[in-house]
Amino acid sequence: MELHHCRVETSMKVINVGVIGAGRIGIVHLEALASCADAKPIIISNPTVSKAQAAAEKYNVPEWTANADDVINHPDVDAVWICSPSSFHADQIKACAKAGKHVFCEKPIATDMAETIEAINACAAANVKLMTALQRRFDPNFARVRQAIEAGEVGELVQVKLCSRDPSPPPFQYVKGGGGIFCDMAVHDLDMSRFLMGSEPKKILAVGSCHIDKSIKTLPGPEAYDTATIIVEYEGGRTATIDVCRQAPYGYDQRAEALGTKGMILTDNMYPNTARLYLKDFTGNADMPFDFFMSRYKEAYIQETLAFCKALVEDLPSPCSGEDGLMALIMSVAAGMSAEQNRWVEFSEIPEVRACTDPAHCKIIDPIEFALEATHNL
Amino acid sequence: MELHHCRVETSMKVINVGVIGAGRIGIVHLEALASCADAKPIIISNPTVSKAQAAAEKYNVPEWTANADDVINHPDVDAVWICSPSSFHADQIKACAKAGKHVFCEKPIATDMAETIEAINACAAANVKLMTALQRRFDPNFARVRQAIEAGEVGELVQVKLCSRDPSPPPFQYVKGGGGIFCDMAVHDLDMSRFLMGSEPKKILAVGSCHIDKSIKTLPGPEAYDTATIIVEYEGGRTATIDVCRQAPYGYDQRAEALGTKGMILTDNMYPNTARLYLKDFTGNADMPFDFFMSRYKEAYIQETLAFCKALVEDLPSPCSGEDGLMALIMSVAAGMSAEQNRWVEFSEIPEVRACTDPAHCKIIDPIEFALEATHNL
Amino acid sequence: MELHHCRVETSMKVINVGVIGAGRIGIVHLEALASCADAKPIIISNPTVSKAQAAAEKYNVPEWTANADDVINHPDVDAVWICSPSSFHADQIKACAKAGKHVFCEKPIATDMAETIEAINACAAANVKLMTALQRRFDPNFARVRQAIEAGEVGELVQVKLCSRDPSPPPFQYVKGGGGIFCDMAVHDLDMSRFLMGSEPKKILAVGSCHIDKSIKTLPGPEAYDTATIIVEYEGGRTATIDVCRQAPYGYDQRAEALGTKGMILTDNMYPNTARLYLKDFTGNADMPFDFFMSRYKEAYIQETLAFCKALVEDLPSPCSGEDGLMALIMSVAAGMSAEQNRWVEFSEIPEVRACTDPAHCKIIDPIEFALEATHNL
Amino acid sequence: MELHHCRVETSMKVINVGVIGAGRIGIVHLEALASCADAKPIIISNPTVSKAQAAAEKYNVPEWTANADDVINHPDVDAVWICSPSSFHADQIKACAKAGKHVFCEKPIATDMAETIEAINACAAANVKLMTALQRRFDPNFARVRQAIEAGEVGELVQVKLCSRDPSPPPFQYVKGGGGIFCDMAVHDLDMSRFLMGSEPKKILAVGSCHIDKSIKTLPGPEAYDTATIIVEYEGGRTATIDVCRQAPYGYDQRAEALGTKGMILTDNMYPNTARLYLKDFTGNADMPFDFFMSRYKEAYIQETLAFCKALVEDLPSPCSGEDGLMALIMSVAAGMSAEQNRWVEFSEIPEVRACTDPAHCKIIDPIEFALEATHNL
């Protein structure tokens, strides 16, 4: 009997991955990495180290630690998956850039626009790839709409419509200080409109109101809205219309529709199975649609990790760049301004963009130029 | 910096698994095992050993070999996943039983009924668990139908209907000598009818014909059919009606419907996404349904492995026993006899069942008694 | 001001129609006739003459009467719509034939097979057209399936499946003496299978059981069944499978499915609108499917009347002949025999058919020859 | 034999109807009137009198004429159905008012706002009922949405969304001088938003663009658009979002969606049957959706006539008043202004409304007051 023992061979193409965070989303990416022949997680960190250890044992990760720096600075790590709380993202990205490690970062890149630009610039300066994990782009449904548009299946694109509703409103404390419905919720849909349009937005109009949780009505600006409608104008006068609501009692509502000169494509919500029940007072789905992002976007979370692995192995551009994340943020801020001022807003008006002129922060991306480009040059 | 290195701790609850076969289906189960905290694959075999090695490296399996016996007799292996070609199944099951190893066996248990019974008896005598991997029982759609029936959601069960169509007919050489449409295709649906009914069948009526590949018309008995309809009578006169066809140009058609006194539940085929296209001459799904069992039953393959792991860890009965596999085979043979003789057939009439009376082969299961019980006592 | 007063001009192409019966179904046909430029109802009868008068006034019918003979023998009437109770049909058909009037007759032609044959023969002898109003053939859904089959949209036909369930079981008194589920319910589906197949059936297998209203279990023969499954074998071994049940708590369930070598076509139930509701515990149709034949087949009732008018005006064969009605009856009787005897039945075995040899009754149709032809010559 | 001859009894409740116009839409209403026991068409006019005669003969209308005045002034006529070209509407309404006849008028009431107001005032002054035939309100699908909202099935209303797309763009000559997409197309959807909301709109934002027929790009104002998106703000900040396009290659697209605090209701397009085809490269509806308003809104055209008959017989308010038609027109004009000026528009800004201050024209409705009320008082 001859048995072969496993030698870990680091071929040119196998990416050694370090994972920061062993929470729910960290585990999702660990599972995705397990099915990826080209990537191998070699270390995982978590402040509560027992969670890191449990994950390491389950997914055969040889090392674990309490300290994210151990992951970032591990000599064998090629790329870091940042799955920590949002407030740590910017510093960890910059540390990765400094250590020459590619970065997969759960959204958002940072909690404010200046730090977002700083982190993007740090990666660009260090020539490491940065992936903003806007996972909806990798959802089989939205990706299919994009594919139909790109392939001309619906002809020349005329219009995009997106509907996005959370199952239930977040607690008051989450909304307060969170930046409002455009930044904490519609940001995904604004990015999706740009992804589907395949071009840069020109101006934005938003309107918000409060119907679900009246307690937030006293909060300032867009934090007072739980319902909003947005029109984004793109090249050639084409529009994307987005409606968002913090409550859909029937589940997590995520739909897209694109009209072209040859036809339309649309997507529906996802259900755990195809079963339909026909009873005395009911004919419909046997079960409710997926009601949370972890189940609804399960496949998207896997696909985004596989896509970034592929980009690393084949040295392709990041499939969802830091600039994509930044642009989504700029659009959210502009939407908030529009809703407050009841008028169309151009992206060059965003004050945070104008303020960010310190060359120390913006070596590579000049945000004004970036925003102007987005607004006028497309 | 303190790093913890992975120690393989064989807790009471972690099952050490050996896998025989690194082909497509072996890989599917390796992936499922990877997401199961309670099981750890420790060795994999494949005659072409490089395939075993590749799988071992990808899924962190520490040992690999060309020889299935190395797996079965490995001292640390608790349970064996048999993913080899069907002709090896019976011998490997018996070897596992002899070695005291639990067995997860891809269907069928054996290629004839006597060997099937022998293999089941061997496991029973050795007191090891045997799982027949009838994966459809673990598909979220069929499982939901079963759940509705068990929970009384549709009231008292009145009738079951199953439709099963392969995307395209197999080659002539596969059909010839394969035992015919009831044994190589409808066997899954016959099992499903029994699973949904939750009781034992009493008699069977089948009719077959040939419409797709006329070359098979010259083959003997049920091998000449590519289309068939079956009625199985269960307790209380309730019937399950099954229609099968070797060709569905639109994909892999797998549907179930159950009528009860309070309503109906039915399932539809599965599509890769929810996108629908609306064009000049077309309004419908943007993509075709899954057209092969590996994509259609992807989740079922995972769930069946998780279910057997759970049975091992918690010492529960096998979630799909050897007797379930045997009963499906008996039903298939009886269906063939019915179609040939144009009449209702009772299960006690099956000659292979009657012939199998050598006590050396049937220590634990007495097939006549088993079949009679199925036919008369329910 | 010059006004033109209406002159009733009996052009060559306008059919003067007499209607027997001002009940629900009579009114349906009156409405259909109102939208038919080629036909003009000129008299209507009803035993309760006030109902005839009310209908006449509403639909501008110039004459009304209590007596069906006034309709049949009215000198201007070209064709009679028989919408009276079933027990009057045969005599009224024969009276029409004697008077040389074409006949549109609500199903059934008669309440037994001998009278059915007699009525058909009377019309044939008198050279008047006889329409059996098997309305489902004119339903836009079933008609679309037939059209797809005829046009080869699904390739060569392989198989037909029909599902037919009444919303709720009829009272015991209706079932008792009614001839059982094959004659009073499945007769429509047996006809539909023949309509869709476009050829004559060869043999039949049926099985029945009782699950809904246990009180009928004591009734003789097929009257004891409220649930049944039927396989009808057609030319080339093709089968039609029919399942019927006297109760579907979710409405009137009427579905068809046809598989061909190139694909499948299927139809679903009809709803009063397309609205879908999405609530906390429910996602599905806002309203239940049509739950009764008058709403479900509203369009079919109109279309069958228009189709017969067209046949009269253009001198085409009856779009659904007396022989079609007879064959449906023969199939129902054979299904009952099969279910009772647990075996396949050939149509030549039907005793009523054999008994009907008196040349006085069967001048034109020789039922034995007819049945043999159906059974053997196709 | 005793025959009763039809006496035309004008009971208190039977409405004698005159119809102006024997074109396509006139015939639709004649058919609807034929099934209405409470109304009796007694005269029909058409400039080409042979069309009036043909319709009269088919639908048993005793008199016909070339002259609309004969209808309006016929002494027995109680109500007039105006189905003439739009340019005649206002004068015919005023003539009806003068003659004391109730008016059912195909939309629009008039081709400009001043005449619309004049016609409404004339009816009000003469105390005759005026029905603006906005037929979509009577469509079973949209009516079901309204019913759900009114009954609280979706809780408190949060948002309405409407999608309206014509099958193909009209000819250049139709668009030129037609007032643009808001007046000739979106007017129906603007009315529908108000119908579903059940309250008055406060302000409006619209954006238009041209993607289908580039030849119209040179036309002035909203005539240059073939695609538009509109947000209408209602009471409490609730919004209705409307998107319209002059081309949907897949048919006539007419959908509604309403979100409330308890759930959502939405409607889909209508198909001629429920058949679905499953072929090698296609799984979807066997036929395309209804592609024209006459088939799509067939039932709506019938229901609106029946609704007005009921209002006449029971002396109820008009189910869709002249003011409803006026408000839809005001909304269309405001939408055009918004799209031209890229800003929110309040309804009191509409110059045509302000200009219409001549008391000779606006005795009863004071349009400024009306518009202000719509804008500020709700």
Side-chain angles (χ1 to χ4, degrees):
Chain A
M1 185 175 92
E2 188 193 11
L3 291 182
H4 304 262
H5 284 274
C6 187
R7 287 152 300 157
V8 173
E9 293 173 304
T10 307
S11 85
M12 288 299 291
K13 291 207 157 181
V14 171
I15 306 294
N16 285 328
V17 171
V19 177
I20 299 174
R24 199 172 47 188
I25 198 72
I27 297 300
V28 165
H29 291 303
L30 264 187
E31 287 212 13
L33 288 164
S35 70
C36 175
D38 299 324
K40 198 173 282 295
I42 62 169
I43 183 168
I44 182 166
S45 73
N46 203 72
T48 309
V49 74
S50 60
K51 289 185 73 178
Q53 179 177 359
E57 287 175 350
K58 179 163 176 193
Y59 294 100
N60 281 310
V61 184
E63 296 181 56
W64 60 87
T65 174
N67 192 338
D69 289 337
D70 295 344
V71 172
I72 295 169
N73 297 311
H74 191 294
D76 294 338
V77 161
D78 300 312
V80 176
W81 258 242
I82 300 178
C83 305
S84 53
S86 300
S87 57
F88 296 95
H89 288 185
D91 283 345
Q92 290 171 348
I93 293 172
K94 286 184 279 182
C96 287
K98 196 175 163 194
K101 307 299 169 72
H102 300 297
V103 186
F104 174 103
C105 184
E106 268 305 311
K107 61 204 171 294
I109 292 173
T111 49
D112 76 11
M113 206 180 289
E115 286 212 325
T116 301
I117 292 169
E118 220 176 9
I120 293 170
N121 282 342
C123 291
N127 202 26
V128 298
K129 294 184 200 297
L130 171 60
M131 165 95 172
T132 307
L134 291 159
Q135 91 284 358
R136 290 188 199 178
R137 292 183 174 215
F138 302 89
D139 171 68
N141 304 292
F142 290 112
R144 185 64 182 82
V145 175
R146 174 66 192 139
Q147 177 192 329
I149 291 169
E150 268 189 312
E153 287 179 73
V154 291
E156 297 283 314
L157 188 58
V158 169
Q159 187 186 45
V160 163
K161 294 194 292 183
L162 299 168
C163 177
S164 192
R165 295 170 188 156
D166 282 347
S168 51
F172 180 85
Q173 290 309 328
Y174 174 94
V175 177
K176 188 183 175 180
I181 195 168
F182 303 110
C183 285
D184 73 16
M185 187 177 168
V187 61
H188 292 281
D189 308 290
L190 290 162
D191 175 64
M192 181 54 61
S193 79
R194 193 170 155 262
F195 175 62
L196 294 180
M197 280 292 185
S199 66
E200 294 300 335
K202 300 181 73 172
K203 61 181 182 180
I204 197 162
L205 183 287
V207 56
S209 50
C210 175
H211 305 283
I212 311 300
D213 176 3
K214 303 292 169 65
S215 75
I216 66 169
K217 264 193 156 170
T218 56
L219 293 177
E223 291 181 9
Y225 307 145
D226 53 30
T227 308
T229 300
I230 307 168
I231 302 178
V232 189
E233 190 179 311
Y234 285 83
E235 203 178 347
R238 291 174 301 150
T239 56
T241 305
I242 297 166
D243 63 272
V244 293
C245 186
R246 290 201 188 274
Q247 178 181 285
Y250 50 92
Y252 187 38
D253 195 347
Q254 302 275 291
R255 287 171 289 153
E257 180 178 321
L259 175 69
T261 51
K262 286 189 185 163
M264 168 175 69
I265 186 166
L266 55 75
T267 59
D268 206 343
N269 291 310
M270 294 176 70
Y271 289 78
N273 55 60
T274 66
R276 280 180 291 155
L277 266 172
Y278 297 77
L279 303 177
K280 189 169 169 37
D281 300 313
F282 177 109
T283 74
N285 297 89
D287 293 298
M288 300 302 289
F290 285 131
D291 70 345
F292 201 46
F293 62 92
M294 293 295 288
S295 46
R296 170 64 177 81
Y297 287 119
K298 187 182 166 194
E299 186 67 18
Y301 283 116
I302 295 172
Q303 291 301 324
E304 66 176 3
T305 266
L306 298 183
F308 192 51
C309 288
K310 183 179 153 80
L312 294 178
V313 171
E314 302 182 11
D315 195 20
L316 302 170
S318 168
C320 187
S321 70
E323 287 79 359
D324 289 327
L326 175 62
M327 197 61 212
L329 182 56
I330 291 172
M331 293 171 81
S332 305
V333 170
M337 184 186 295
S338 170
E340 287 310 288
Q341 302 182 7
N342 280 311
R343 64 174 183 88
W344 284 98
V345 168
E346 308 227 348
F347 295 106
S348 57
E349 298 182 46
I350 308 305
E352 290 87 342
V353 174
R354 290 200 172 281
C356 177
T357 52
D358 177 358
H361 288 87
C362 311
K363 280 172 202 154
I364 289 160
I365 295 178
D366 176 340
I368 283 294
E369 190 183 301
F370 178 72
L372 288 177
E373 189 184 322
T375 313
H376 299 300
N377 295 6
L378 289 160
Chain B
M1 184 173 92
E2 185 196 12
L3 293 181
H4 304 262
H5 285 272
C6 186
R7 289 151 298 158
V8 173
E9 294 173 303
T10 307
S11 85
M12 287 301 290
K13 291 208 157 179
V14 172
I15 306 293
N16 285 329
V17 170
V19 177
I20 298 174
R24 200 172 46 188
I25 198 73
I27 298 300
V28 166
H29 291 303
L30 265 186
E31 287 212 14
L33 288 164
S35 69
C36 175
D38 299 324
K40 196 174 286 293
I42 61 169
I43 183 167
I44 182 167
S45 74
N46 202 74
T48 308
V49 75
S50 61
K51 291 185 71 176
Q53 179 177 1
E57 287 177 349
K58 179 162 176 193
Y59 294 100
N60 281 311
V61 183
E63 296 181 54
W64 61 87
T65 174
N67 192 339
D69 288 338
D70 295 344
V71 172
I72 295 169
N73 297 312
H74 191 294
D76 294 339
V77 162
D78 301 311
V80 175
W81 257 242
I82 299 178
C83 305
S84 54
S86 300
S87 58
F88 296 95
H89 287 185
D91 285 347
Q92 289 171 348
I93 293 172
K94 286 184 280 183
C96 287
K98 197 175 162 194
K101 308 298 169 72
H102 300 298
V103 186
F104 174 102
C105 185
E106 268 306 310
K107 62 203 171 295
I109 294 173
T111 48
D112 77 11
M113 205 179 291
E115 286 211 325
T116 301
I117 293 168
E118 218 174 12
I120 292 170
N121 282 341
C123 290
N127 201 26
V128 297
K129 293 184 201 298
L130 172 60
M131 164 95 172
T132 306
L134 291 159
Q135 91 283 358
R136 290 188 198 178
R137 292 183 173 212
F138 301 90
D139 171 68
N141 304 293
F142 290 112
R144 185 62 182 82
V145 176
R146 175 65 192 139
Q147 177 192 328
I149 292 168
E150 268 189 314
E153 287 179 72
V154 291
E156 297 283 314
L157 188 58
V158 168
Q159 187 185 44
V160 163
K161 294 195 290 183
L162 299 168
C163 176
S164 192
R165 294 169 188 157
D166 282 347
S168 50
F172 181 85
Q173 291 308 328
Y174 173 94
V175 177
K176 187 181 174 181
I181 194 166
F182 303 110
C183 285
D184 72 17
M185 188 176 168
V187 60
H188 293 280
D189 308 291
L190 290 162
D191 176 64
M192 182 52 60
S193 79
R194 193 170 155 262
F195 174 62
L196 294 180
M197 280 291 186
S199 66
E200 295 301 334
K202 301 182 71 172
K203 62 181 181 178
I204 197 162
L205 184 286
V207 56
S209 50
C210 177
H211 306 283
I212 312 299
D213 176 4
K214 302 294 169 61
S215 75
I216 67 168
K217 264 195 156 167
T218 56
L219 292 177
E223 291 181 8
Y225 309 144
D226 54 29
T227 307
T229 299
I230 308 168
I231 302 176
V232 190
E233 190 179 311
Y234 284 83
E235 202 178 349
R238 290 174 302 148
T239 57
T241 305
I242 297 166
D243 63 272
V244 293
C245 185
R246 290 201 188 274
Q247 178 181 285
Y250 51 90
Y252 187 37
D253 196 347
Q254 303 275 291
R255 287 171 289 155
E257 180 179 321
L259 175 69
T261 50
K262 286 188 186 163
M264 169 173 69
I265 186 166
L266 55 76
T267 60
D268 205 343
N269 291 310
M270 292 176 71
Y271 289 78
N273 55 61
T274 66
R276 280 179 292 154
L277 266 171
Y278 296 78
L279 304 177
K280 190 172 169 32
D281 301 313
F282 176 107
T283 73
N285 296 89
D287 293 297
M288 300 300 291
F290 285 131
D291 71 344
F292 201 45
F293 62 92
M294 293 295 288
S295 46
R296 170 62 177 82
Y297 287 119
K298 188 182 165 193
E299 186 68 18
Y301 283 117
I302 295 171
Q303 291 302 324
E304 66 177 1
T305 266
L306 298 184
F308 192 50
C309 289
K310 184 179 152 81
L312 294 178
V313 170
E314 302 181 10
D315 195 19
L316 301 169
S318 170
C320 187
S321 70
E323 286 79 359
D324 289 327
L326 175 62
M327 197 61 211
L329 181 56
I330 291 172
M331 292 170 82
S332 305
V333 170
M337 183 186 294
S338 169
E340 287 310 287
Q341 300 182 9
N342 281 311
R343 62 172 184 88
W344 285 98
V345 167
E346 307 227 348
F347 295 107
S348 57
E349 298 182 46
I350 310 305
E352 290 88 343
V353 174
R354 291 201 172 281
C356 178
T357 52
D358 178 356
H361 287 86
C362 310
K363 280 172 202 155
I364 289 161
I365 295 179
D366 176 340
I368 283 294
E369 189 182 302
F370 178 73
L372 288 178
E373 187 182 325
T375 312
H376 298 301
N377 295 5
L378 290 160
Chain C
M1 185 174 93
E2 185 196 13
L3 291 181
H4 304 261
H5 285 271
C6 188
R7 290 151 300 157
V8 174
E9 293 172 304
T10 309
S11 83
M12 288 299 292
K13 291 208 156 180
V14 171
I15 307 294
N16 285 328
V17 171
V19 176
I20 298 174
R24 200 171 46 187
I25 198 73
I27 297 301
V28 165
H29 291 302
L30 265 186
E31 286 212 13
L33 288 164
S35 69
C36 176
D38 299 323
K40 198 174 283 294
I42 61 169
I43 184 168
I44 183 166
S45 73
N46 203 72
T48 309
V49 74
S50 62
K51 289 184 74 176
Q53 179 177 359
E57 287 177 348
K58 179 164 175 191
Y59 295 99
N60 281 310
V61 183
E63 295 181 56
W64 60 87
T65 175
N67 192 339
D69 289 337
D70 294 345
V71 172
I72 295 169
N73 298 311
H74 191 294
D76 295 338
V77 161
D78 301 311
V80 176
W81 258 243
I82 300 178
C83 306
S84 54
S86 300
S87 57
F88 295 94
H89 288 185
D91 284 346
Q92 289 172 347
I93 292 172
K94 286 184 280 183
C96 286
K98 196 174 162 194
K101 307 296 170 74
H102 301 297
V103 186
F104 174 102
C105 184
E106 267 305 311
K107 61 202 173 292
I109 294 172
T111 48
D112 77 11
M113 206 180 290
E115 286 211 325
T116 301
I117 293 168
E118 219 175 13
I120 293 169
N121 282 341
C123 290
N127 202 27
V128 298
K129 294 185 201 295
L130 171 60
M131 165 94 171
T132 307
L134 291 159
Q135 93 283 357
R136 291 188 198 179
R137 292 184 173 214
F138 302 89
D139 170 68
N141 304 292
F142 290 111
R144 185 62 183 83
V145 175
R146 174 66 192 139
Q147 177 192 327
I149 292 169
E150 268 188 315
E153 286 178 73
V154 291
E156 297 283 314
L157 188 57
V158 169
Q159 187 185 43
V160 163
K161 294 195 290 183
L162 298 168
C163 176
S164 192
R165 295 169 188 157
D166 281 348
S168 51
F172 180 85
Q173 290 307 328
Y174 174 94
V175 177
K176 187 182 176 180
I181 195 167
F182 303 111
C183 286
D184 73 17
M185 186 177 170
V187 60
H188 292 281
D189 308 290
L190 290 162
D191 176 63
M192 182 52 61
S193 79
R194 194 170 154 261
F195 174 61
L196 293 181
M197 280 292 185
S199 67
E200 293 301 334
K202 301 181 70 173
K203 61 181 182 181
I204 197 163
L205 182 289
V207 55
S209 50
C210 176
H211 305 282
I212 311 300
D213 176 3
K214 302 293 169 62
S215 75
I216 67 169
K217 264 194 155 168
T218 55
L219 293 177
E223 290 182 9
Y225 308 144
D226 54 28
T227 307
T229 300
I230 307 168
I231 302 177
V232 189
E233 190 179 311
Y234 284 84
E235 201 179 349
R238 290 175 302 150
T239 57
T241 305
I242 296 165
D243 64 271
V244 293
C245 185
R246 289 201 190 275
Q247 178 181 283
Y250 50 91
Y252 187 37
D253 195 347
Q254 302 276 291
R255 287 172 289 154
E257 180 179 320
L259 175 70
T261 52
K262 287 189 185 162
M264 168 174 70
I265 187 166
L266 55 75
T267 60
D268 205 344
N269 291 311
M270 293 177 71
Y271 289 78
N273 56 59
T274 66
R276 280 179 290 153
L277 265 173
Y278 297 76
L279 303 178
K280 188 169 169 37
D281 300 313
F282 175 108
T283 73
N285 297 89
D287 292 298
M288 299 302 290
F290 286 130
D291 71 345
F292 201 44
F293 62 93
M294 293 296 287
S295 47
R296 170 62 177 82
Y297 287 118
K298 186 183 166 194
E299 186 68 19
Y301 283 116
I302 295 171
Q303 292 301 324
E304 67 177 2
T305 267
L306 298 183
F308 192 51
C309 288
K310 182 179 153 81
L312 293 177
V313 171
E314 302 182 11
D315 194 20
L316 301 170
S318 169
C320 186
S321 70
E323 287 79 359
D324 290 326
L326 175 62
M327 197 61 212
L329 182 56
I330 291 172
M331 292 171 81
S332 306
V333 170
M337 183 186 294
S338 170
E340 287 310 287
Q341 301 182 8
N342 280 311
R343 63 173 184 88
W344 285 98
V345 166
E346 306 226 349
F347 296 105
S348 57
E349 298 182 46
I350 309 305
E352 289 88 342
V353 174
R354 290 201 173 280
C356 177
T357 52
D358 178 356
H361 287 86
C362 310
K363 279 172 202 154
I364 289 161
I365 294 178
D366 176 339
I368 282 294
E369 190 181 303
F370 179 72
L372 288 177
E373 187 182 327
T375 312
H376 300 301
N377 294 5
L378 289 159
Chain D
M1 186 174 92
E2 185 195 13
L3 291 180
H4 304 261
H5 286 272
C6 186
R7 290 152 298 155
V8 174
E9 292 173 303
T10 307
S11 83
M12 287 300 290
K13 291 206 157 183
V14 171
I15 307 294
N16 285 329
V17 170
V19 178
I20 298 175
R24 199 173 46 188
I25 198 73
I27 298 299
V28 165
H29 292 302
L30 265 186
E31 287 212 12
L33 288 163
S35 68
C36 175
D38 299 324
K40 197 174 284 294
I42 63 169
I43 183 168
I44 183 165
S45 74
N46 203 73
T48 309
V49 75
S50 61
K51 289 185 74 177
Q53 179 177 2
E57 287 176 349
K58 180 162 175 193
Y59 295 99
N60 282 310
V61 184
E63 297 181 55
W64 60 87
T65 174
N67 193 339
D69 289 337
D70 294 345
V71 172
I72 295 168
N73 297 311
H74 191 294
D76 295 338
V77 160
D78 301 311
V80 176
W81 257 242
I82 300 179
C83 306
S84 54
S86 301
S87 56
F88 295 95
H89 288 184
D91 284 346
Q92 290 171 348
I93 293 173
K94 286 183 281 183
C96 286
K98 197 174 161 193
K101 307 298 169 71
H102 300 297
V103 186
F104 174 103
C105 185
E106 268 305 311
K107 62 204 170 291
I109 292 172
T111 50
D112 76 12
M113 206 180 290
E115 287 211 325
T116 301
I117 294 169
E118 221 176 8
I120 293 170
N121 282 341
C123 290
N127 203 26
V128 298
K129 293 185 201 296
L130 171 59
M131 163 94 170
T132 307
L134 291 159
Q135 91 284 357
R136 291 188 198 178
R137 293 183 172 214
F138 303 90
D139 171 69
N141 304 292
F142 290 111
R144 185 62 181 82
V145 176
R146 175 66 193 139
Q147 177 193 329
I149 292 168
E150 268 189 315
E153 287 179 72
V154 292
E156 296 283 314
L157 188 57
V158 169
Q159 187 186 45
V160 162
K161 293 194 293 184
L162 298 168
C163 176
S164 191
R165 296 170 187 155
D166 280 348
S168 49
F172 180 86
Q173 291 308 326
Y174 174 94
V175 177
K176 188 181 174 180
I181 195 167
F182 304 110
C183 285
D184 73 17
M185 188 176 167
V187 61
H188 293 281
D189 308 290
L190 290 162
D191 175 64
M192 183 53 61
S193 79
R194 194 170 153 263
F195 175 60
L196 294 180
M197 280 291 185
S199 66
E200 293 302 334
K202 301 180 73 171
K203 61 181 182 179
I204 196 162
L205 182 286
V207 56
S209 51
C210 176
H211 305 282
I212 311 300
D213 176 3
K214 302 293 168 65
S215 75
I216 66 168
K217 264 194 156 168
T218 56
L219 293 177
E223 290 182 9
Y225 308 144
D226 54 28
T227 307
T229 300
I230 307 167
I231 303 177
V232 189
E233 191 179 310
Y234 284 82
E235 202 179 348
R238 289 174 302 149
T239 57
T241 304
I242 297 166
D243 62 272
V244 294
C245 186
R246 288 202 188 275
Q247 178 181 285
Y250 51 90
Y252 188 38
D253 195 347
Q254 302 276 290
R255 288 170 288 155
E257 180 179 320
L259 174 70
T261 50
K262 286 189 187 163
M264 169 174 69
I265 185 166
L266 55 75
T267 60
D268 205 344
N269 290 309
M270 294 178 70
Y271 289 78
N273 56 60
T274 66
R276 280 180 291 153
L277 264 172
Y278 296 78
L279 304 177
K280 187 170 170 35
D281 301 313
F282 176 109
T283 72
N285 297 90
D287 293 299
M288 299 302 291
F290 286 131
D291 71 344
F292 202 45
F293 62 92
M294 294 294 289
S295 46
R296 170 63 177 81
Y297 288 118
K298 188 182 165 193
E299 185 69 18
Y301 283 117
I302 295 171
Q303 292 302 325
E304 66 177 2
T305 267
L306 299 183
F308 192 52
C309 289
K310 182 179 153 81
L312 294 176
V313 171
E314 302 182 10
D315 195 20
L316 302 169
S318 169
C320 187
S321 71
E323 287 79 359
D324 289 325
L326 174 62
M327 195 62 212
L329 181 55
I330 290 172
M331 293 170 82
S332 305
V333 170
M337 182 186 296
S338 169
E340 287 309 287
Q341 302 181 9
N342 282 311
R343 64 174 184 87
W344 285 98
V345 167
E346 308 227 348
F347 295 106
S348 57
E349 299 182 45
I350 309 305
E352 291 87 342
V353 174
R354 291 199 172 282
C356 179
T357 52
D358 177 358
H361 286 87
C362 311
K363 280 172 203 154
I364 290 160
I365 295 179
D366 176 339
I368 283 294
E369 189 181 304
F370 178 71
L372 289 178
E373 186 183 327
T375 312
H376 299 299
N377 295 5
L378 289 159

